[in-house]
Amino acid sequence: MTNKITLDNQICFQITRAHQLFNKFYQEPLSKFNLTYVQYITLLSLWEKDGVTVNYLSQKLGLSNGTLTPLLKRLEKAGWITRTRDKKDERRVLIKLTEHGAKQEEPITSTVQGCLNSLDYDDETFNNTMNTILDVQNRLEKSEEAKENS
């Protein structure tokens, strides 16, 4: 790559800026449910696969256990999830949606979909954007693996 390094042509800066804007973008619709963005993506993961360990969620979301544990405690206190010790292995904590948490999937995802629709993506542009973002993630993961293996 031969581009001069400037702030505006740094992928990392543009992704960080997009992340900040997405947090703000989701703030209003999620506030109706008293959720933060990170709580929302945690619930999304549980709606896809319920009854998982903290370690599973940590890997799926890319969050450390130290970040995830207080977040899960807040979700439990608010009635979204339960946290219980695995009877087969007491070291493992299982995370399961409550009835309230399961019932809120449709209203929350409908609200979020309405917001996403306001971005006016057609299917092709959306898919191309997702593929580009996934490509960046894959390149970063390969770079990390190469560092670890050297």
Side-chain angles (χ1 to χ4, degrees), residues 33 35 43 75-76 78-81 96-98 100-101 104 108:
F33 303 97
L35 292 171
L43 290 172
L75 284 173
E76 182 178 40
W80 292 94
I81 63 163
K96 191 159 180 44
L97 290 163
T98 61
H100 168 74
Q104 293 301 307
I108 292 171

Side-chain angles (χ1 to χ4, degrees), residues 121 123-135:
Y121 273 108
D123 287 345
E124 182 180 358
T125 305
F126 179 84
N127 291 332
N128 288 339
T129 301
M130 286 297 292
N131 287 335
T132 299
I133 293 167
L134 290 171
D135 178 63

Side-chain angles (χ1 to χ4, degrees), residues 99-140:
E99 185 177 335
H100 168 74
K103 284 184 176 179
Q104 293 301 307
E105 178 181 6
E106 197 283 324
I108 292 171
T109 56
S110 290
T111 299
V112 169
Q113 186 62 54
C115 291
L116 290 173
N117 290 344
S118 74
L119 296 178
D120 201 27
Y121 273 108
D122 60 55
D123 287 345
E124 182 180 358
T125 305
F126 179 84
N127 291 332
N128 288 339
T129 301
M130 286 297 292
N131 287 335
T132 299
I133 293 167
L134 290 171
D135 178 63
V136 170
Q137 289 176 0
N138 289 332
R139 289 171 186 269
L140 289 168

Side-chain angles (χ1 to χ4, degrees), residues 53-71:
T53 65
V54 173
N55 285 341
Y56 171 88
L57 278 176
S58 176
Q59 290 177 347
K60 177 85 172 168
L61 300 173
L63 299 172
S64 71
N65 284 357
T67 299
L68 196 54
T69 298
L71 179 142

